[in-house]
Amino acid sequence: DAGVIQSPRHEVTEMGQEVTLRCKPISGHDYLFWYRQTMMRGLELLIYFNNNVPIDDSGMPEDRFSAKMPNASFSTLKIQPSEPRDSAVYFCASSQNIGSVYGYTFGSGTRLTVV
Amino acid sequence: AQSVTQLGSHVSVSEGALVLLRCNYSSSVPPYLFWYVQYPNQGLQLLLKYTSAATLVKGINGFEAEFKKSETSFHLTKPSAHMSDAAEYFCAVSFSGNTGKLIFGQGTTLQVKP
């Protein structure tokens, strides 16, 4: 298995632009998680899905952020409009179950810079 | 309240020295416990996990951790540090077994000096 695949690896955009981050989870994993990592706040859970349905989006910082999972093999995290404070590394992870006896598998992340 | 705490955001050791990274949790029920490692510019990788079997858990790259219920701890150790161990380490806890999502600690950056 190729693991969790995220694209792009790096994104530089101007303030006010729309940004879309993409994630392909491991086949057969029913849970998909979006995390944000910054120096100040560490690793934050933004939202997670179970069987393509959003279960908990309480970590999404504000309405500028949205996430979708149209099918079992693809998810997007969109920021519109982007702001400099959104600069961070965004990780996608997938798992067979939420408590993860098997462990969450993380992608390599997307490093977002908003200038 | 349920929580996970990593003591020390930065730990520095000499190559060959013992590595000890501390993790404590607060929970009224036995949790599932995990350690993840993040190398520079990479995602998190699972090092080891405790899920109510043996209390001493061995992981990859010579790391191990011991679940101590009386101390509510799950400290990560390695007898002899290698330069390649330099990374950020995260303790994570599931407070409801298979029904609770993982809660991650703030992370500890391990520096290994030659």
Side-chain angles (χ1 to χ4, degrees), chain A residues 34-108:
Chain A
W34 281 101
Y35 287 87
R36 178 172 69 177
Q37 185 178 37
T38 61
M39 291 289 290
M40 292 298 294
R41 292 187 296 270
L43 197 63
E44 303 173 277
L45 176 64
L46 301 178
I47 185 172
Y48 76 90
F49 295 82
N50 176 214
N51 292 325
N52 314 336
V53 176
I55 302 300
D56 183 356
D57 65 354
S58 59
M60 296 286 261
E62 46 197 280
D63 292 345
R64 297 184 297 107
F65 285 69
S66 62
K68 294 182 180 179
M69 192 165 186
N71 56 61
S73 60
F74 184 64
S75 177
T76 60
L77 178 68
K78 186 176 294 186
I79 308 172
Q80 166 63 17
S82 58
E83 296 182 4
R85 60 192 168 119
D86 301 331
S87 297
V89 181
Y90 291 82
F91 288 103
C92 175
S94 70
S95 175
Q96 292 175 282
N97 60 52
I98 187 173
S100 184
V101 172
Y102 309 103
Y104 292 2
T105 302
F106 283 77
S108 297

Side-chain angles (χ1 to χ4, degrees), chain B residues 13-91:
Chain B
V13 301
S14 297
E15 191 173 19
L18 171 72
V19 175
L20 171 61
L21 305 181
R22 300 176 188 273
C23 174
N24 287 87
Y25 67 91
S26 173
S27 175
S28 57
V29 297
Y32 287 179
L33 297 154
F34 306 81
W35 275 100
Y36 283 80
V37 60
Q38 184 183 26
Y39 298 105
N41 299 314
Q42 295 186 26
L44 281 70
Q45 302 173 34
L46 182 64
L47 261 183
L48 50 79
K49 62 187 178 186
Y50 166 78
T51 56
S52 74
T55 57
L56 181 62
V57 181
K58 295 186 184 299
I60 60 173
N61 300 336
F63 284 93
E64 62 182 37
E66 186 172 8
F67 170 61
K68 292 187 176 181
K69 184 178 178 181
S70 61
E71 299 178 7
T72 61
S73 69
F74 191 58
H75 302 333
L76 182 70
T77 61
K78 182 174 181 178
S80 176
H82 290 190
M83 296 296 292
S84 60
D85 294 327
E88 188 159 18
Y89 292 80
F90 292 89
C91 180

